[in-house]
Amino acid sequence: MHFRFYSLLMVVLILGLWSVRYEPVWAQEPVDRPELPAGSRPTNFPQEIAVGADKIEDSLIKQRLADVFKNLPSLADVDIAVKGGVVRLSGQTPDKGAHEQAAELAGRVEGVVSVTDEITQRTEVRERLTVVQEKMVNQLNAFVSFLPLLIIALLVFLAFWFVAAFMTRWDRLYEKVTPHAFLQSLLKQIVKGTVLFIGFIVMLEILDATALLGTIVGVAGVMGLAIGFALRDTVENYIASILLSIRQPFRPLDQIVLENYEGLVMKLTSRETILMTLDGNHVRIPNATVYKGIILNYSRNPKRRFTFEVGIDTAVDIKAALELAITTLQHTCGVIADPPVRCAVEKLGDSNVILKMFAWTTQDQYDYQKVRSEAIRAVKEAFDLANYEMPEPIYRLKIQGSSPLDGQAVVEQTDHQKDAPASAVPSSSQADVTKDNHIVEQISKDRTENQEKDLLK
């Protein structure tokens, strides 16, 4: 991409230099005009027609124009007639430029009152081709004479190119300036661009075409403005990438929730953040959205709390049920002691009491989902062993018509109680609560195969 850009820049430079350096300039002789005294007449008035002794003779005007046209090959066939200060031009010119030049020169001669233009342009094929051939030969000769200087300028620019490439390969220097890999890359691009710009200025100085620099800068400014509007999202993502790589709001393999997507962080590129969901799918989110969005990071703090609810019958001793639940969770594999386990009454229903359990686990040693699942199983089994009934909903059916119960019947569905000691706590020593590393292994494999640069440490 850089090679194409600099190649295009060189083509524009050569064409612009060619048009600036070899633009035909018509030879014109200066015309001495008498200076009028200050305040003699307003400058916006037309030139006064001289009379008497100040009148310039027609022969002098004709002779002056004839001398000027004689020295211009393209105006050699123009005929001049002057009468009363009015110049009449006739004849032929090879092109429109010579035609306009003849009229302009005639109007500049002192004493000319008006110019009558009757000049025609040559249309003969042979003469027109001859003119074109002469121009091409002159341009070719000029280019050949200019070629050695152009080669020297290009060699100087190429030397600056190699210097820029060498400076960008000096990694130790940039590591001392900043330890951040992305900022090192950005700094290398700035250094390389600066060196190439200096080389470009030196090349223009050698070619004596520094005036072309203003044109190039103007065109580059307009193009940069247009490209900026067209690639606004891309530029925004690039700036967001710089800020995210500096702030580092997450690390590789962190489990986060971003834009309603939950997964593990794979990498941060210069355009987007890549996640692998818990289902093994890749999600690419633009960095501008990541920088402005809300990030929920589950991995920054290894300790994570989980909750669940359990319903018991209203006849059950609530205090005893809470104590049994706490004891059960304390003996559940994967549940940590600090912060401590907590149980509370969530709400009182029509036919049951809802208890809510709070327990903590550490994600760097155990799998969060497995520990929560094992805790629910253990509490349910403990309540069953203690004969703490978990009632199902009670349905009342109203039957229309005559009935020994006046049209009403109550149907209750309950579970059979099991005979077991109330102090029994189920064992969970064999429960599997180890971390599930399948997603981590897939991410590691993908990072190994994909050579896309990661901006995260």
Side-chain angles (χ1 to χ4, degrees):
M1 179 178 179
H2 291 173
F3 177 75
R4 295 181 180 176
F5 171 75
Y6 291 119
S7 300
L8 179 61
L9 183 62
M10 293 300 301
V11 172
V12 173
L13 169 65
I14 294 174
L15 293 179
L17 180 63
W18 188 260
S19 63
V20 171
R21 189 177 181 87
Y22 295 104
E23 182 179 0
V25 179
W26 302 104
Q28 300 177 0
E29 296 184 6
V31 178
D32 297 332
R33 297 179 179 271
E35 296 183 359
L36 297 176
S40 61
R41 66 169 185 266
T43 57
N44 57 346
F45 282 9
Q47 183 180 359
E48 296 178 355
I49 300 176
V51 297
D54 295 333
K55 178 182 178 182
I56 300 178
E57 296 182 2
D58 294 340
S59 59
L60 296 178
I61 297 175
K62 181 177 181 181
Q63 183 62 36
R64 181 57 175 158
L65 283 176
D67 293 340
V68 174
F69 287 2
K70 186 185 302 182
N71 294 316
L72 298 175
S74 59
L75 304 181
D77 295 334
V78 177
D79 297 329
I80 307 170
V82 184
K83 186 175 182 181
V86 178
V87 179
R88 178 176 174 272
L89 301 177
S90 60
Q92 294 183 336
T93 57
D95 51 35
K96 184 178 179 180
H99 184 178
E100 295 176 350
Q101 185 186 24
E104 192 266 340
L105 291 175
R108 291 173 54 187
V109 176
E110 184 180 4
V112 175
V113 177
S114 178
V115 178
T116 302
D117 188 357
E118 297 180 357
I119 299 176
T120 59
Q121 296 183 26
R122 295 174 184 171
T123 57
E124 293 83 357
V125 176
R126 178 178 297 179
E127 294 184 1
R128 296 300 294 270
L129 292 179
T130 302
V131 173
V132 173
Q133 181 180 1
E134 292 177 355
K135 289 184 177 180
M136 293 181 63
V137 171
N138 293 335
Q139 293 287 343
L140 182 59
N141 292 334
F143 178 76
V144 171
S145 61
F146 181 69
L147 191 59
L149 191 62
L150 180 61
I151 294 176
I152 294 175
L154 292 177
L155 290 176
V156 170
F157 182 77
L158 188 62
F160 275 89
W161 188 304
F162 282 112
V163 171
F166 173 75
M167 295 184 66
T168 54
R169 294 178 182 177
W170 199 359
D171 295 333
R172 293 184 178 180
L173 175 62
Y174 300 99
E175 291 175 356
K176 294 180 179 179
V177 175
T178 173
H180 199 279
F182 187 63
L183 293 182
Q184 291 177 12
S185 176
L186 183 61
L187 187 60
K188 288 180 180 179
Q189 295 178 10
I190 294 175
V191 172
K192 184 177 182 180
T194 303
V195 174
L196 291 180
F197 182 75
I198 296 174
F200 183 69
I201 298 297
V202 174
M203 181 179 64
L204 292 181
E205 288 288 348
I206 295 175
L207 299 176
D208 193 19
T210 53
L212 183 62
L213 182 61
T215 304
I216 295 177
V217 171
V219 173
V222 175
M223 292 181 60
L225 184 62
I227 293 174
F229 278 108
L231 303 177
R232 181 180 59 183
D233 294 338
T234 302
V235 174
E236 185 179 9
N237 283 331
Y238 187 78
I239 296 176
S241 303
I242 298 176
L243 298 177
L244 287 174
S245 62
I246 296 175
R247 292 181 55 191
Q248 301 274 337
F250 42 74
R251 302 185 181 94
L253 304 181
D254 276 3
Q255 184 175 345
I256 65 173
V257 178
L258 180 61
E259 291 295 312
N260 297 325
Y261 292 101
E262 181 177 357
L264 274 65
V265 177
M266 296 183 62
K267 61 179 60 179
L268 172 68
T269 68
S270 59
R271 295 180 300 273
E272 57 207 358
T273 300
I274 307 176
L275 303 181
M276 178 174 286
T277 66
L278 302 181
D279 297 329
N281 300 319
H282 285 212
V283 178
R284 293 177 177 264
I285 304 176
N287 285 333
T289 303
V290 176
Y291 185 75
K292 295 183 293 185
I294 299 175
I295 303 174
L296 175 58
N297 194 331
Y298 290 121
S299 301
R300 185 57 62 93
N301 181 14
K303 295 181 179 181
R304 184 176 176 185
R305 191 183 74 171
F306 62 89
T307 64
F308 61 92
E309 295 180 352
V310 177
I312 61 175
D313 191 84
T314 54
V316 175
D317 186 352
I318 298 178
K319 184 177 180 180
L322 292 175
E323 293 177 354
L324 177 60
I326 292 175
T327 304
T328 303
L329 290 175
Q330 290 175 345
H331 290 82
T332 301
C333 186
V335 176
I336 60 178
D338 184 25
V341 176
R342 186 170 63 88
C343 297
V345 179
E346 181 70 12
K347 63 181 178 179
L348 182 63
D350 295 336
S351 59
N352 60 355
V353 178
I354 304 300
L355 306 181
K356 192 167 186 179
M357 317 299 174
F358 304 87
W360 291 76
T361 185
T362 176
Q363 299 179 99
D364 53 357
Q365 298 180 14
Y366 306 106
D367 188 277
Y368 172 80
Q369 294 294 342
K370 290 182 178 180
V371 173
R372 184 176 182 275
S373 174
E374 178 61 22
I376 296 174
R377 184 200 66 80
V379 171
K380 195 270 182 187
E381 184 177 343
F383 280 13
D384 287 344
L385 294 176
N387 293 329
Y388 292 162
E389 184 179 356
M390 301 179 190
E392 296 181 0
I394 299 176
Y395 302 96
R396 292 184 178 273
L397 304 180
K398 184 176 181 181
I399 303 175
Q400 299 293 338
S402 59
S403 172
L405 298 178
D406 295 332
Q408 297 182 356
V410 178
V411 179
E412 297 184 359
Q413 298 179 351
T414 61
D415 291 334
H416 296 288
Q417 298 182 351
K418 300 180 181 179
D419 297 330
S423 60
V425 176
S427 175
S428 59
S429 58
Q430 301 300 324
D432 181 17
V433 292
T434 57
K435 290 180 62 66
D436 190 351
N437 294 321
H438 296 299
I439 300 296
V440 176
E441 293 174 357
Q442 295 181 41
I443 293 177
S444 301
K445 181 180 179 181
D446 186 272
R447 289 170 63 90
T448 303
E449 297 177 352
N450 192 350
Q451 300 300 324
E452 193 172 9
K453 189 174 183 180
D454 186 8
L455 306 183
L456 295 174
K457 294 183 180 179

